[in-house]
Amino acid sequence: MAVYVALLHYPVYNKEKRVVATSLTTLDIHDIARASRTYGIKKYFIVQPIENHLWLANKLLSFWQGGHGREYNPKRWEALKLVKAVPYFENVLEEIEKENGIKPKVVVTSAREYENSISFECLRDRIKSGENVIICFGTGWGLTEEFIKSADYILEPIRGATDYNHLSVRSAAAIILDRLLG
Protein backbone atom coordinates (compact mmCIF):
# COMPACT_ATOMS: atom_id res chain seq x y z
CA MET A 1 0.00 0.00 0.00
CA ALA A 2 1.22 3.46 -0.90
CA VAL A 3 -0.69 6.62 -0.08
CA TYR A 4 0.30 9.92 -1.66
CA VAL A 5 -1.03 13.44 -1.17
CA ALA A 6 -1.26 16.29 -3.67
CA LEU A 7 -2.14 19.91 -2.98
CA LEU A 8 -3.37 21.39 -6.23
CA HIS A 9 -3.17 25.09 -6.97
CA TYR A 10 -4.51 24.32 -10.45
CA PRO A 11 -7.10 23.50 -11.78
CA VAL A 12 -9.21 25.16 -9.09
CA TYR A 13 -11.95 27.77 -8.89
CA ASN A 14 -11.83 31.28 -7.55
CA LYS A 15 -14.87 32.73 -5.75
CA GLU A 16 -16.38 33.81 -9.10
CA LYS A 17 -16.20 30.14 -10.23
CA ARG A 18 -13.46 30.89 -12.79
CA VAL A 19 -10.73 28.32 -13.34
CA VAL A 20 -7.49 29.75 -11.97
CA ALA A 21 -4.11 28.91 -10.51
CA THR A 22 -3.98 30.05 -6.88
CA SER A 23 -1.10 31.51 -4.92
CA LEU A 24 1.30 29.35 -2.98
CA THR A 25 0.91 29.44 0.80
CA THR A 26 4.03 28.30 2.61
CA LEU A 27 2.03 27.31 5.70
CA ASP A 28 0.20 24.72 3.57
CA ILE A 29 3.54 23.21 2.60
CA HIS A 30 4.76 22.95 6.20
CA ASP A 31 1.52 21.88 7.89
CA ILE A 32 0.40 19.28 5.34
CA ALA A 33 3.96 17.89 5.27
CA ARG A 34 3.84 17.41 9.02
CA ALA A 35 0.47 15.66 8.84
CA SER A 36 1.76 13.55 5.92
CA ARG A 37 4.80 12.44 7.92
CA THR A 38 2.65 11.68 10.96
CA TYR A 39 0.31 9.42 8.96
CA GLY A 40 2.89 7.65 6.79
CA ILE A 41 2.28 9.34 3.43
CA LYS A 42 4.86 8.21 0.87
CA LYS A 43 5.19 11.58 -0.89
CA TYR A 44 3.42 14.93 -0.76
CA PHE A 45 3.23 16.84 -4.04
CA ILE A 46 2.68 20.57 -4.43
CA VAL A 47 1.11 21.21 -7.85
CA GLN A 48 1.85 24.81 -8.80
CA PRO A 49 2.04 25.92 -12.45
CA ILE A 50 2.89 29.58 -11.76
CA GLU A 51 6.63 29.74 -12.46
CA ASN A 52 7.56 32.20 -9.67
CA HIS A 53 5.50 30.29 -7.11
CA LEU A 54 7.04 26.98 -8.17
CA TRP A 55 10.46 28.60 -7.75
CA LEU A 56 9.47 29.80 -4.26
CA ALA A 57 8.27 26.31 -3.29
CA ASN A 58 11.52 24.76 -4.49
CA LYS A 59 13.59 27.43 -2.72
CA LEU A 60 11.78 26.72 0.56
CA LEU A 61 12.17 22.97 0.07
CA SER A 62 15.89 23.23 -0.72
CA PHE A 63 16.41 25.15 2.52
CA TRP A 64 14.66 22.52 4.64
CA GLN A 65 15.66 19.42 2.67
CA GLY A 66 19.38 20.00 2.46
CA GLY A 67 20.37 23.44 3.60
CA HIS A 68 20.75 25.10 6.94
CA GLY A 69 17.15 24.26 7.83
CA ARG A 70 17.91 20.54 7.96
CA GLU A 71 20.47 21.08 10.69
CA TYR A 72 18.52 23.82 12.44
CA ASN A 73 15.30 21.81 12.81
CA PRO A 74 15.66 18.07 12.04
CA LYS A 75 11.98 17.45 12.92
CA ARG A 76 10.88 19.89 10.21
CA TRP A 77 13.26 18.21 7.76
CA GLU A 78 11.70 14.82 8.62
CA ALA A 79 8.39 16.12 7.29
CA LEU A 80 9.58 18.32 4.44
CA LYS A 81 11.77 15.62 2.90
CA LEU A 82 8.49 14.06 1.67
CA VAL A 83 7.55 17.11 -0.41
CA LYS A 84 8.09 17.67 -4.11
CA ALA A 85 6.86 20.65 -6.12
CA VAL A 86 5.79 20.11 -9.74
CA PRO A 87 3.95 22.28 -12.26
CA TYR A 88 1.09 19.93 -13.22
CA PHE A 89 -0.85 16.95 -11.89
CA GLU A 90 0.26 14.89 -14.90
CA ASN A 91 3.82 15.19 -13.53
CA VAL A 92 2.62 13.66 -10.26
CA LEU A 93 1.02 10.65 -11.96
CA GLU A 94 4.07 10.10 -14.18
CA GLU A 95 6.43 10.12 -11.20
CA ILE A 96 4.31 7.72 -9.15
CA GLU A 97 3.86 5.36 -12.09
CA LYS A 98 7.61 5.41 -12.80
CA GLU A 99 8.31 4.66 -9.13
CA ASN A 100 5.67 1.94 -8.60
CA GLY A 101 4.98 0.60 -12.06
CA ILE A 102 1.27 1.36 -11.67
CA LYS A 103 -0.87 4.45 -11.66
CA PRO A 104 -2.55 5.12 -8.29
CA LYS A 105 -6.27 5.56 -7.88
CA VAL A 106 -7.04 9.28 -7.82
CA VAL A 107 -9.12 10.39 -4.82
CA VAL A 108 -10.49 13.93 -4.81
CA THR A 109 -11.74 15.86 -1.80
CA SER A 110 -14.46 18.47 -1.74
CA ALA A 111 -16.64 20.30 0.75
CA ARG A 112 -19.56 19.68 -1.64
CA GLU A 113 -21.79 16.62 -1.58
CA TYR A 114 -21.70 14.19 -4.54
CA GLU A 115 -24.08 11.28 -5.12
CA ASN A 116 -21.29 8.92 -6.07
CA SER A 117 -18.91 9.75 -3.21
CA ILE A 118 -17.02 7.09 -1.30
CA SER A 119 -17.17 6.99 2.48
CA PHE A 120 -14.14 7.34 4.73
CA GLU A 121 -14.71 3.78 5.93
CA CYS A 122 -14.84 2.32 2.43
CA LEU A 123 -11.71 4.15 1.29
CA ARG A 124 -9.90 3.21 4.50
CA ASP A 125 -10.71 -0.47 3.75
CA ARG A 126 -9.42 -0.12 0.17
CA ILE A 127 -6.18 1.39 1.43
CA LYS A 128 -5.76 -1.37 4.03
CA SER A 129 -6.31 -3.97 1.31
CA GLY A 130 -3.29 -2.56 -0.56
CA GLU A 131 -4.79 -0.14 -3.06
CA ASN A 132 -2.38 2.66 -4.01
CA VAL A 133 -4.06 6.07 -3.88
CA ILE A 134 -3.28 9.73 -4.24
CA ILE A 135 -5.50 12.03 -2.20
CA CYS A 136 -5.97 15.37 -3.95
CA PHE A 137 -6.75 18.56 -2.06
CA GLY A 138 -7.73 21.76 -3.83
CA THR A 139 -6.95 25.34 -2.93
CA GLY A 140 -9.02 28.45 -3.67
CA TRP A 141 -12.69 27.54 -3.91
CA GLY A 142 -12.04 23.89 -4.68
CA LEU A 143 -11.05 21.57 -7.48
CA THR A 144 -12.82 22.02 -10.82
CA GLU A 145 -15.79 19.85 -11.73
CA GLU A 146 -13.84 18.49 -14.70
CA PHE A 147 -10.98 17.38 -12.43
CA ILE A 148 -13.40 15.89 -9.90
CA LYS A 149 -15.26 13.93 -12.59
CA SER A 150 -11.97 12.52 -13.92
CA ALA A 151 -11.08 11.00 -10.53
CA ASP A 152 -11.51 7.37 -9.54
CA TYR A 153 -13.10 8.30 -6.21
CA ILE A 154 -14.75 11.37 -4.70
CA LEU A 155 -14.33 11.29 -0.93
CA GLU A 156 -17.33 12.26 1.14
CA PRO A 157 -17.05 15.74 2.67
CA ILE A 158 -16.08 16.39 6.26
CA ARG A 159 -19.19 17.13 8.27
CA GLY A 160 -18.97 19.05 11.50
CA ALA A 161 -21.57 19.71 14.17
CA THR A 162 -22.94 22.79 12.35
CA ASP A 163 -23.88 23.72 8.79
CA TYR A 164 -20.68 25.79 8.43
CA ASN A 165 -18.34 23.99 6.04
CA HIS A 166 -15.33 26.10 5.07
CA LEU A 167 -12.20 24.55 6.59
CA SER A 168 -8.70 25.58 5.61
CA VAL A 169 -7.05 23.00 3.38
CA ARG A 170 -4.49 22.38 6.15
CA SER A 171 -7.23 21.50 8.62
CA ALA A 172 -9.13 19.39 6.11
CA ALA A 173 -5.99 17.45 5.17
CA ALA A 174 -5.22 16.65 8.81
CA ILE A 175 -8.77 15.49 9.51
CA ILE A 176 -8.96 13.36 6.36
CA LEU A 177 -5.59 11.72 6.94
CA ASP A 178 -6.59 10.91 10.50
CA ARG A 179 -9.91 9.41 9.42
CA LEU A 180 -8.25 7.27 6.74
CA LEU A 181 -4.96 6.34 8.37
CA GLY A 182 -5.32 7.10 12.09
Side-chain angles (χ1 to χ4, degrees):
M1 153 198 93
V3 179
Y4 299 86
V5 166
L7 179 63
L8 284 85
H9 294 85
Y10 176 86
V12 296
Y13 292 122
N14 68 9
K15 64 182 174 179
E16 285 89 35
K17 199 102 166 150
R18 291 192 186 112
V19 179
V20 297
T22 56
S23 296
L24 185 76
T25 304
T26 57
L27 286 174
D28 290 343
I29 297 173
H30 286 270
D31 289 353
I32 296 173
R34 292 164 74 174
S36 293
R37 177 66 178 93
T38 298
Y39 290 99
I41 298 303
K42 190 162 186 178
K43 191 170 278 187
Y44 163 35
F45 293 92
I46 304 293
V47 178
Q48 176 51 268
I50 302 171
E51 193 173 315
N52 290 342
H53 293 239
L54 185 61
W55 176 87
L56 176 61
N58 283 316
K59 186 76 171 164
L60 178 140
L61 292 172
S62 71
F63 175 80
W64 288 106
Q65 290 173 343
H68 172 71
R70 181 177 178 171
E71 294 171 23
Y72 176 73
N73 190 337
K75 289 281 189 197
R76 185 71 52 94
W77 169 77
E78 259 313 297
L80 288 165
K81 72 181 180 180
L82 301 176
V83 185
K84 181 166 186 181
V86 298
Y88 298 103
F89 188 66
E90 292 77 16
N91 304 114
V92 172
L93 294 178
E94 287 169 8
E95 181 164 329
I96 294 171
E97 192 168 5
K98 187 190 293 183
E99 187 178 294
N100 289 335
I102 58 165
K103 193 170 136 183
K105 296 289 185 180
V106 176
V107 179
V108 293
T109 60
S110 176
R112 295 184 295 271
E113 298 272 348
Y114 287 88
E115 272 184 37
N116 58 336
S117 66
I118 188 171
S119 70
F120 288 102
E121 182 180 8
C122 185
L123 185 58
R124 184 174 47 249
D125 290 344
R126 288 175 187 259
I127 291 168
K128 282 182 182 176
S129 72
E131 195 162 348
N132 292 330
V133 300
I134 181 156
I135 304 167
C136 300
F137 297 96
T139 56
W141 289 74
L143 297 165
T144 63
E145 289 298 319
E146 183 180 35
F147 189 85
I148 288 171
K149 288 178 182 170
S150 73
D152 297 296
Y153 304 120
I154 303 169
L155 188 60
E156 69 178 316
I158 297 168
R159 292 180 191 87
T162 70
D163 63 348
Y164 186 81
N165 191 6
H166 194 72
L167 292 167
S168 71
V169 71
R170 297 182 301 280
S171 296
I175 292 165
I176 287 170
L177 293 180
D178 185 67
R179 289 185 181 177
L180 295 175
L181 303 167

